[in-house]
Amino acid sequence: ILGYVGEGSSEELVIPSTIEIEDGDGNPNNNSKTVVAIGDNAFANNFNGRDYIKNVTIPSTVVSIGHYAFGYNEKLESVTFENGSKLATICEGAFAYTPNLTTFTLPASVNDIGEQAFEGSGITSFTGNSYYVWNSDVLVNKNVADQNNAIAVYVNPQATNIKFPDNVTILAGNLFYGNKNIVSVNFNKVTNIGSHAFSLSTLSDVSNTSNIIDAGIESFAGTKWLDRQSSNYITIGKVLLYYNGDDSQIVVPEGIVRIGENAMSGEQIRSAVLPSTLTSIGQNTFRDCPNLDWVLLKSTNPPVLDGDCFDSDVTIYVKQTSLNYYLNNIYFKNLDNKISSKNVSVTFK
């Protein structure tokens, strides 16, 4: 189904399991097709202007629901799946921005839910299945080879305090985006935070952050927690989110394993010394430092570069013993930057 142009005033919409195909004159030709997919945006935007629809029933024949297929339906209150549902995939944004949709029962066959599938909905509880479980106000994807590395794909938007379950190590992007109720988060075993995960939310306090080794772009932008940080080096776990000082030379502390996207900015920055523990550098990390002359990488193994991290006129210095590693590394060998070891003068008295 690609779209909906139905009329009527009923609050109930029952999507058919078969569609009668018409001939060129608009007459039925006794050739019906089984409905197996609901296309992108098919019933979006208040069911294409029919904002009286509150309840929808989806046939058991549907295997996939497309991007934003039911997105932006302000009056939608319930979604019912027929018995024996074969639904496997719920794509990104499929039920996004449905504030009156408060509960949701996943068919047993669902094994793939896209990021932000329920973003902006009012869902406060899920009935899960063998692939997804509702645990402590968090919808957790268990469909991974390692059950100790599960993904949090949705959280109760009404919750003020969240402690992530022990098996959750990854937070999906936009997880709390714009959330106006969240106050505190206990990250527990979380290692990776998706892009914009807490952006523009009311997050104020965090705890148990020591396991965090990656945080996506603007994952804490616009939060009360970020506003309260006064250190020159704003970090979450082992990730440097932003440099907030005014030094001409930046010396990133040892223990940092990742420098986030757009972390550095300022005309005063002329050089940077990066720690031996560093394993990755986010895109555009130093691109907003117009006077940056050189960067010293102390790590023996070249860190992963997410994209363009340095302007081409920035010299990259590395240890002499690591020079060949960098010159032949997949991330560094195609850079326009000069890569060399740095001469150091020592005076003995």
Side-chain angles (χ1 to χ4, degrees):
I1 294 178
L2 300 179
Y4 178 62
V5 294
E7 297 294 343
S9 58
S10 173
E11 295 180 351
E12 308 283 338
L13 174 63
V14 178
I15 298 174
S17 59
T18 59
I19 298 292
E20 189 73 25
I21 306 301
E22 298 178 346
D23 61 21
D25 296 323
N27 301 312
N29 62 6
N30 297 318
N31 181 18
S32 63
K33 296 290 186 181
T34 301
V35 175
V36 297
I38 297 175
D40 297 349
N41 302 295
F43 295 93
N45 299 310
N46 291 323
F47 293 89
N48 292 315
R50 293 144 187 88
D51 60 3
Y52 47 78
I53 297 176
K54 295 182 179 180
N55 310 298
V56 62
T57 298
I58 298 175
S60 60
T61 54
V62 169
V63 175
S64 67
I65 298 176
H67 295 75
Y68 294 91
F70 294 93
Y72 300 94
N73 283 319
E74 297 173 1
K75 300 294 181 65
L76 181 62
E77 294 180 357
S78 71
V79 176
T80 301
F81 295 93
E82 287 185 347
N83 290 335
S85 174
K86 299 179 178 64
L87 183 67
T89 300
I90 299 175
C91 290
E92 177 182 344
F95 294 94
Y97 303 103
T98 51
N100 287 310
L101 184 61
T102 57
T103 61
F104 201 94
T105 298
L106 289 170
S109 51
V110 173
N111 59 22
D112 181 20
I113 297 177
E115 284 196 3
Q116 300 124 53
F118 303 97
E119 180 183 350
S121 77
I123 299 172
T124 58
S125 66
F126 273 86
T127 301
N129 60 21
S130 60
Y131 299 101
Y132 292 87
V133 62
W134 185 246
N135 184 357
S136 302
D137 286 324
V138 181
L139 184 63
V140 178
N141 178 10
K142 302 191 301 177
N143 188 21
V144 290
D146 182 355
Q147 294 296 303
N148 292 319
N149 287 287
I151 305 171
V153 298
Y154 179 82
V155 294
N156 178 358
Q158 299 300 319
T160 57
N161 305 289
I162 291 283
K163 178 181 179 181
F164 286 104
D166 287 346
N167 64 334
V168 170
T169 59
I170 301 172
L171 307 187
N174 286 55
L175 195 61
F176 291 86
Y177 184 86
N179 186 301
K180 301 306 180 185
N181 293 305
I182 192 64
V183 175
S184 68
V185 168
N186 182 331
F187 285 96
N188 201 5
K189 305 296 180 58
V190 170
T191 60
N192 295 64
I193 300 173
S195 298
H196 304 281
F198 296 91
S199 292
L200 304 179
S201 74
T202 51
L203 179 68
S204 180
D205 298 298
V206 301
S207 60
N208 284 351
T209 63
S210 60
N211 294 308
I212 297 173
I213 58 174
D214 193 5
I217 186 170
E218 295 188 347
S219 47
F220 293 89
T223 63
K224 292 182 179 180
W225 173 80
L226 185 60
D227 290 343
R228 289 167 44 197
Q229 305 307 303
S230 59
S231 171
N232 283 353
Y233 297 93
I234 300 176
T235 63
I236 186 81
K238 299 178 178 68
V239 181
L240 175 63
L241 297 175
Y242 300 106
Y243 173 69
N244 198 34
D246 55 9
D247 295 327
S248 61
Q249 183 174 96
I250 297 172
V251 181
V252 177
E254 288 291 327
I256 294 296
V257 300
R258 175 171 173 78
I259 300 176
E261 291 89 345
N262 306 305
M264 308 291 181
S265 65
E267 294 184 358
Q268 84 284 357
I269 299 175
R270 297 186 175 277
S271 61
V273 179
L274 308 187
S276 62
T277 50
L278 191 68
T279 59
S280 66
I281 303 176
Q283 190 169 7
N284 298 324
T285 298
F286 292 95
R287 295 299 294 272
D288 198 21
C289 303
N291 295 315
L292 182 64
D293 182 38
W294 56 266
V295 172
L296 171 62
L297 290 165
K298 295 167 64 178
S299 48
T300 300
N301 295 317
V304 173
L305 305 181
D306 287 355
D308 292 332
C309 303
F310 320 96
D311 285 335
S312 59
D313 57 351
V314 174
T315 300
I316 298 174
Y317 292 117
V318 300
K319 293 188 295 186
Q320 179 65 42
T321 54
S322 301
L323 183 57
N324 285 334
Y325 294 149
Y326 279 83
L327 291 175
N328 294 294
N329 178 264
I330 187 173
Y331 295 104
F332 285 83
K333 66 181 181 180
N334 293 321
L335 294 180
D336 293 330
N337 305 77
K338 177 184 177 182
I339 302 175
S340 68
S341 57
K342 186 172 179 62
N343 294 325
V344 178
S345 297
V346 179
T347 301
F348 293 96
K349 294 183 179 181

